[in-house]
Amino acid sequence: MKAFFKPKPKTPAELVRQTRDLLLFADSAAAPHINDAKRDQKMKDLIKVIRDLKNILYGDSDSKPVVETCAQLAIEFFREDNFRLLITCLPKLNFETRKQATQIVTNLQGQKLQSRLIACEYMERNLALMDILIAGYENNDLALHYGAMLRECIRHQSVAKYILDSQHMKKFLEYIQLPNFDVASDAAGTFKELLTRHKSTVADFLSKNDDWFFADYNSKLLVSTNYITRRQAIKLLDDILLERSNSAVMIRYVSSKDNLRILMNLLRESSKSIQIETFHVFKLFASNQNKPTDIINILVANRTKLFRLIADINNDKGDEQFNYDKSQVIREISALNPINEG
């Protein structure tokens, strides 16, 4: 008989309004006039409604997500400013509910209506919310939740541009070196997303900021005492410089003797993976047909050592292209003659 009296499911609009009311309560739950019993019940209601939202978006044991319902939920969610409320109230939720809230946000950021991301206009009007998410890396309990949300937000070009043009980029160079491995790895993942997802925006950022950016990148990441940091940094540098839209930046990078010296030192690493990734960047210096005089002279002065290092690099895959690249680099350097800079 119970099935006949099962309550009618709330519409997306009703569920979102209930969520908003409960989040507003949670945001002010520390107020002295609110008694403990009421506070506890409201928080239980909030935990339940967050679970209900997640089940609509991901489905449960009884039903699969409905595309139209998920889209309508996204429209209502951002219209009611629940994104702001949810991220500001996240510290007040228990661990499991934080996970579900994170899943909700990451799903809603990808919801589309007629091929357009529903969250797009909201994010463009509320870019400062990224400041909250990024600051989350300074709190180990929140970092992975905020980090996952942040990477989904970066799918919006306006968000990526906001972060790239801010002082947050310098903070990321610090977050990547945090002692907590999980947090540092998450920050590195977000940093990579920022520098690879939106090609034209990244190219614009690098063209305006390559001096300080690569100086800091080299000194804080490429020469880090942490092996994981060095390995991730050289791989990302390879991705950045080989991206066609960054070709002008790449030429400037491989025209710097300071950059060359760092790469030559990395070729001496005991780690095979770092050696291989370093070689992919180093070959850009060798193949540059307009090498500055100081680059030529450094390569000539060190070519015996360089040839030995390059010969010892093997990727264990019998890769013909890799072996060809090694031979080509050796040929390029062999053909160089020292130039009198006087």
Side-chain angles (χ1 to χ4, degrees):
M1 293 295 293
K2 286 184 179 179
F4 289 107
F5 300 99
K6 189 174 181 179
K8 182 181 177 181
K10 288 184 172 67
T11 66
E14 291 170 337
L15 200 56
V16 166
R17 281 195 293 272
Q18 182 188 11
T19 305
R20 176 177 171 77
D21 292 341
L22 290 168
L23 287 170
L24 286 169
F25 177 87
D27 199 33
S28 61
H33 66 277
I34 300 174
N35 64 59
D36 291 343
K38 181 179 181 180
R39 183 182 296 111
D40 291 345
Q41 184 56 52
K42 289 285 189 180
M43 292 306 292
K44 287 179 182 177
D45 292 342
L46 178 57
I47 289 170
K48 180 182 183 303
V49 79
I50 287 175
R51 185 170 62 246
D52 291 344
L53 289 173
K54 187 227 169 188
N55 288 341
I56 288 174
L57 294 170
Y58 290 91
D60 56 23
S61 58
D62 298 324
S63 60
K64 294 182 179 180
V66 178
V67 173
E68 294 79 6
T69 303
C70 292
Q72 188 59 41
L73 183 60
I75 291 169
E76 299 294 339
F77 186 88
F78 291 107
R79 179 184 294 156
E80 295 289 336
D81 202 23
N82 275 2
F83 179 64
R84 179 191 306 275
L85 289 168
L86 192 58
I87 64 175
T88 54
C89 290
L90 201 72
K92 300 179 182 181
L93 304 177
N94 62 44
F95 177 75
E96 188 59 34
T97 307
R98 287 178 187 171
K99 281 173 54 180
Q100 293 174 349
T102 302
Q103 290 174 306
I104 290 168
V105 169
T106 56
N107 184 294
L108 291 174
Q109 287 293 345
Q111 290 292 332
K112 294 182 178 181
L113 185 64
Q114 297 177 345
S115 76
R116 179 173 171 78
L117 290 169
I118 292 169
C120 186
E121 291 182 6
Y122 176 87
M123 299 307 300
E124 289 174 357
R125 295 194 306 270
N126 295 276
L127 293 170
L129 292 178
M130 299 306 100
D131 301 345
I132 299 173
L133 297 182
I134 294 169
Y137 281 118
E138 297 171 21
N139 183 324
N140 288 348
D141 294 331
L142 300 173
L144 302 187
H145 303 296
Y146 279 158
M149 293 182 187
L150 182 59
R151 283 188 295 282
E152 288 302 312
C153 292
I154 290 169
R155 67 169 63 221
H156 304 284
Q157 194 160 4
S158 59
V159 171
K161 178 173 172 52
Y162 172 80
I163 300 172
L164 287 167
D165 290 343
S166 72
Q167 290 300 305
H168 290 310
M169 290 304 290
K170 293 186 177 182
K171 290 182 181 178
F172 270 104
L173 295 168
E174 305 298 332
Y175 294 152
I176 291 170
Q177 302 176 80
L178 288 169
N180 184 301
F181 175 78
D182 291 335
V183 175
S185 296
D186 195 277
T190 304
F191 188 64
K192 179 179 179 180
E193 188 77 359
L194 281 166
L195 290 166
T196 56
R197 187 175 186 104
H198 301 285
K199 312 299 185 188
S200 61
T201 304
V202 172
D204 183 61
F205 162 75
L206 291 174
S207 67
K208 295 175 181 175
N209 299 278
D210 63 330
D211 286 346
W212 77 259
F213 178 77
F214 285 118
D216 284 7
Y217 193 97
N218 291 347
S219 64
K220 294 180 179 180
L221 303 184
L222 288 182
V223 299
S224 168
T225 57
N226 185 296
Y227 161 74
I228 299 295
T229 300
R230 294 196 308 279
R231 189 180 71 181
Q232 290 176 334
I234 190 62
K235 177 65 174 70
L236 178 55
L237 179 63
D238 184 34
D239 292 341
I240 292 170
L241 296 181
L242 288 177
E243 171 55 46
R244 184 171 298 178
S245 59
N246 297 333
S247 58
V249 171
M250 183 270 286
I251 293 298
R252 289 201 294 275
Y253 188 89
V254 301
S255 297
S256 163
K257 63 181 180 181
D258 293 333
N259 295 340
L260 175 59
R261 287 188 175 116
I262 289 173
L263 269 293
M264 287 167 60
N265 282 328
L266 285 171
L267 282 174
R268 300 165 57 194
E269 280 269 356
S270 59
S271 162
K272 183 177 294 185
S273 60
I274 290 181
Q275 285 182 342
I276 291 171
E277 293 300 339
T278 300
F279 173 75
H280 288 309
V281 179
F282 177 78
K283 70 185 180 185
L284 299 175
F285 287 86
S287 62
N288 180 14
Q289 297 305 302
N290 295 295
K291 299 178 186 69
T293 298
D294 52 0
I295 296 290
I296 292 174
N297 288 340
I298 290 172
L299 291 173
V300 170
N302 293 275
R303 62 181 156 200
T304 302
K305 292 179 183 177
L306 287 170
F307 291 166
R308 186 173 66 251
L309 289 170
I310 292 169
D312 289 342
I313 300 174
N314 293 294
N315 63 1
D316 293 336
K317 296 179 182 178
D319 189 333
E320 290 184 11
Q321 182 62 50
F322 185 75
N323 290 330
Y324 173 81
D325 288 345
K326 285 171 54 176
S327 299
Q328 185 63 25
V329 166
I330 290 173
R331 280 195 295 271
E332 291 277 0
I333 298 175
S334 297
L336 298 175
N337 295 306
I339 298 175
N340 189 333
E341 296 184 67

